[in-house]
Amino acid sequence: MNTDREFIPLGFGVLTVSDTRNFSSDKSGALLENNIVQAGHKLVKRTIVPDEKADIQRVLKGWINLETVDVILTTGGTGLTGRDVTVEAHSELYEKKINAFEVLFSFVSMKKIGMSAIQSRACAGVAAGTFLFALPGSPSACRDAWDQILRKQFDYRNMPCNFVEILPRLEENQKRKKG
């Protein structure tokens, strides 16, 4: 941690994908909201949508287009059942995939749940200058992803590198084409 650097708060959106949860029963969404705010970031948007690809993508696209949203954390719908379509909804929007997130999340999960980690399809990518992460629906998995991976990567003081410092450069190709 480089204490010479000042913390830079980012804007987050939290999207819960579930056919059954509401705000009072959404433990994973609440946990992510709490962790985001405790870390010093801003929660800009939070909502719940059913396990429908079109609904998920509608919200993701809307939030991606907001200048105030830098990161979207989705929870739920990353499993293997027929209703689990979050990964497909995310993947179709990615301009670049963050492959190492899947590997790191699997590693973190294996230490906790063993070979059951094979059933997770957690993924991440970048779309229009916004980071997108699809996390499992369990509060434990969301906590592990935040504590072990995301919290540090969204802290500008984390060295040797972090997502915050590259955020302004995510769309440099588009800027170059315009200018």
Side-chain angles (χ1 to χ4, degrees), residues 60-87:
L60 291 175
K61 288 175 184 177
W63 291 2
I64 287 167
N65 288 323
L66 294 175
E67 286 189 29
T68 55
V69 175
D70 303 303
V71 183
I72 300 171
L73 304 181
T74 304
T75 175
T78 62
L80 298 171
T81 72
R83 295 290 294 152
D84 292 324
V85 295
T86 301
V87 173

Side-chain angles (χ1 to χ4, degrees), residues 29-157:
L31 178 135
L32 290 170
E33 177 180 352
N34 186 53
N35 287 347
I36 288 164
V37 172
Q38 278 191 350
H41 297 292
K42 301 172 202 151
L43 181 73
V44 178
K45 294 283 187 179
R46 180 174 170 209
T47 196
I48 300 171
V49 297
D51 289 287
E52 297 291 342
K53 189 164 80 168
D55 292 335
I56 298 165
Q57 286 185 334
R58 177 183 42 78
V59 173
L60 291 175
K61 288 175 184 177
W63 291 2
I64 287 167
N65 288 323
L66 294 175
E67 286 189 29
T68 55
V69 175
D70 303 303
V71 183
I72 300 171
L73 304 181
T74 304
T75 175
T78 62
L80 298 171
T81 72
R83 295 290 294 152
D84 292 324
V85 295
T86 301
V87 173
E88 290 73 20
H90 267 246
S91 298
E92 290 178 8
L93 301 180
Y94 293 163
E95 294 161 7
K96 294 187 186 244
K97 191 173 180 188
I98 305 172
N99 300 51
F101 176 75
E102 295 175 27
V103 175
L104 289 172
F105 184 77
S106 293
F107 177 75
V108 168
S109 295
M110 269 232 15
K111 289 195 287 183
K112 193 168 222 178
I113 62 172
M115 287 301 158
S116 294
I118 197 169
Q119 294 185 30
S120 173
R121 298 186 306 139
C123 64
V126 176
T130 305
F131 290 104
L132 291 91
F133 292 84
L135 309 176
S138 88
S140 180
C142 289
R143 183 180 303 105
D144 292 343
W146 180 264
D147 290 347
Q148 302 296 316
I149 304 167
L150 299 177
R151 181 180 53 81
K152 293 175 184 174
Q153 277 298 295
F154 288 114
D155 189 333
Y156 183 62
R157 301 166 299 181

